[in-house]
Amino acid sequence: MYDVPDLTGTFAVVTGANSGTGREAARRLAAAGAHVVMAVRTVAKGEAARAEILAEHPGTHLEVRRVDLADLASVQEFADGIVATGTPLDLLVNNAGVMAPPTRMTTADGFELQFGSNFLGPFALTVRLLPALLAADAPRVATMSSGTANMGRIDFADLQSERRYGPMRAYAQSKLADLMLARQLADLAVERGWALTSIAAHPGYTRTNLQTAGASLGRDKPKRSLLTSLDFLPTQGVGQGTEPLLFAAADPRAEQGAYYGPSKRFGLVGPTAPARITKRALDPASNARLWAEAERLTDVRLPVHVA
């Protein structure tokens, strides 16, 4: 079990913190001393998760705040609330996501649900939180990608999957976009001399409700996505599967722009190690183009005083 270093005095935000890897990350970051904002879409579920964590770790500092990454107005309201506290934000963990809805669905702003929730929402949140992040001494942004990013393609002519929608195709594109987001943010930090570190991670094949929640949208009965219904693939529990994200979020050895994931059996299970970055996320021009497109779509840009 990975031992998270002491985080006493650290202020952190974890999205999707009511279940799965987000809940586990919030639990272990708080247990290491961080004050954790559990950013969740459904407050009641967040409060239930908070109560469970407090029962296990009395005295930890956790608060629940609502954010819906599929609604840019909600993202702005949440980010404005964090910035308004005046507290430097040491850590942002972009964890929340949706996987493989069977039919094309859209966000509150009309984006394809996976591209909007998994990439555009976290992009807007990250950029809006930059004033709080850059007020910290050594801020860090850890973004959850996926092994499916290796199969992803950024279709700039059809980012919203309007011409052709495939559940896993759209998911892979969104998670590749997350990896490219982490890489571009790292490049921007280096270019502008920010103290910020941007790192990506993936959980391998970790058993959470991610595999059923998205695939069950619009259906009468729970269903798993095609990829995750392959029962011969090795899997791991949420404790092990969250460790690459925790390493990216808190470990002093994690490097700028790096990518971490499980190290055993096709990168699906095992201890954390550097993960191979697909060449599609190693192209600075493509990363910059995607960032610019995200700015255009969300109308969220670098704050003037940090741009």
Side-chain angles (χ1 to χ4, degrees):
M1 184 69 73
Y2 174 68
D3 188 15
V4 178
D6 180 35
L7 296 176
T8 301
T10 298
F11 185 43
V13 167
V14 179
T15 66
N18 62 283
S19 65
T21 55
R23 181 191 178 283
E24 180 70 2
R27 181 184 75 83
R28 288 164 72 175
L29 292 172
H35 178 129
V36 178
V37 174
M38 303 174 69
V40 300
R41 186 178 60 184
T42 305
V43 171
K45 292 181 180 180
E47 291 290 358
R50 176 178 179 271
E52 292 170 356
I53 296 171
L54 286 173
E56 186 178 354
H57 301 284
T60 52
H61 301 286
L62 296 149
E63 61 175 294
V64 176
R65 296 196 184 201
R66 184 182 185 276
V67 65
D68 183 352
L69 294 170
D71 183 345
L72 292 178
S74 175
V75 171
Q76 180 173 3
E77 181 179 7
F78 175 88
D80 287 350
I82 294 295
V83 173
T85 68
T87 304
L89 180 60
D90 301 285
L91 173 62
L92 169 62
V93 180
N94 287 318
N95 163 80
V98 62
M99 181 180 185
T103 59
R104 185 182 182 276
M105 300 178 177
T106 56
T107 69
D109 304 284
F111 305 125
E112 187 275 316
L113 183 62
Q114 296 185 88
F115 193 73
S117 299
N118 297 352
F119 170 62
L120 291 176
F123 166 85
L125 179 65
T126 300
V127 175
R128 288 195 180 279
L129 286 176
L130 275 175
L133 284 162
L134 295 180
D137 292 335
R140 190 179 292 205
V141 178
T143 299
M144 184 72 100
S145 182
S146 164
T148 60
N150 291 332
M151 301 180 287
R153 305 285 191 280
I154 302 298
D155 186 351
F156 284 103
D158 190 27
L159 287 174
Q160 308 303 330
S161 301
E162 294 172 301
R163 299 177 188 171
R164 180 167 63 117
Y165 177 78
M168 289 306 300
R169 176 177 177 271
Y171 180 70
Q173 175 182 245
S174 73
K175 300 315 286 185
L176 171 59
D178 283 335
L179 183 52
M180 294 168 71
L181 164 63
R183 297 280 300 175
Q184 179 63 12
L185 181 60
D187 286 346
L188 287 170
V190 172
E191 291 170 7
R192 288 160 172 74
W194 301 341
L196 182 146
T197 303
S198 174
I199 306 167
H202 77 86
Y205 191 171
T206 295
R207 298 183 300 274
T208 71
N209 65 355
L210 180 69
Q211 287 92 29
T212 57
S216 301
L217 288 173
R219 298 182 186 271
D220 294 330
K221 297 180 180 179
K223 185 176 176 59
R224 295 167 69 186
S225 65
L226 177 60
L227 182 64
T228 60
S229 65
L230 302 176
D231 292 328
F232 60 85
L233 293 175
T235 67
Q236 61 188 3
V238 70
Q240 182 75 61
T242 307
E243 296 193 350
L245 184 63
L246 288 168
F247 187 90
D251 200 284
R253 296 168 294 175
E255 298 180 358
Q256 177 75 284
Y259 187 34
Y260 297 95
S263 58
K264 304 295 184 183
R265 301 185 70 183
F266 313 109
L268 296 176
V269 297
T272 298
R276 183 182 71 85
I277 300 175
T278 174
K279 64 181 180 181
R280 297 180 187 89
L282 292 173
D283 179 9
S286 293
N287 295 347
R289 181 184 178 188
L290 182 64
W291 181 284
E293 190 65 12
E295 288 185 329
R296 184 186 71 81
L297 290 168
T298 63
D299 197 27
V300 176
R301 293 170 173 80
L302 293 177
V304 173
H305 71 282
V306 302

